[in-house]
Amino acid sequence: MDTNRLTLYAGGSPGRMGLQLRGPCATIADAQELEQRLRRLLSTGITILWIDCRQLSYLNRTGQRALLNTERYARTWGLRCFGAG
């Protein structure tokens, strides 16, 4: 595993999805990828999204904004979004 690169792992069951973040979210491209991936997950019809940040080594300001935007988007559509780490 490359610890110098943001890696996203998704898995779950119908209606529930988890996304594990590993490595640094250090660039604008990382943050854009993160937000796009989160939006795609939310658009699959899930009602609950868990975001596991325990193995996230760094989160830049743009990545923080991506997480906040995702939480806001989820709330708008009546979805529940939880975080760990």
Side-chain angles (χ1 to χ4, degrees):
M1 174 174 62
D2 185 359
T3 57
N4 295 320
R5 188 170 175 271
L6 178 64
T7 310
L8 309 168
Y9 296 95
S13 59
R16 297 172 183 193
M17 186 64 66
L19 183 66
Q20 184 180 61
L21 311 177
R22 293 183 183 175
C25 181
T27 67
I28 292 173
D30 290 340
Q32 289 171 337
E33 178 184 356
L34 174 60
E35 188 162 9
Q36 289 170 0
R37 184 79 175 267
L38 288 165
R39 292 274 175 119
R40 277 194 306 254
L41 286 175
L42 291 175
S43 69
T44 62
I46 62 171
T47 56
I48 297 173
L49 174 64
W50 283 93
I51 303 171
D52 182 356
C53 298
R54 291 178 291 182
Q55 294 185 30
L56 187 64
S57 61
Y58 178 77
L59 183 62
N60 66 10
R61 191 179 321 186
T62 310
Q64 291 172 9
R65 191 174 318 120
L67 290 176
L68 290 172
N69 287 342
T70 298
E71 195 277 329
R72 203 173 301 134
Y73 177 81
R75 198 172 348 126
T76 300
W77 291 101
L79 309 173
R80 295 187 349 200
C81 191
F82 300 96

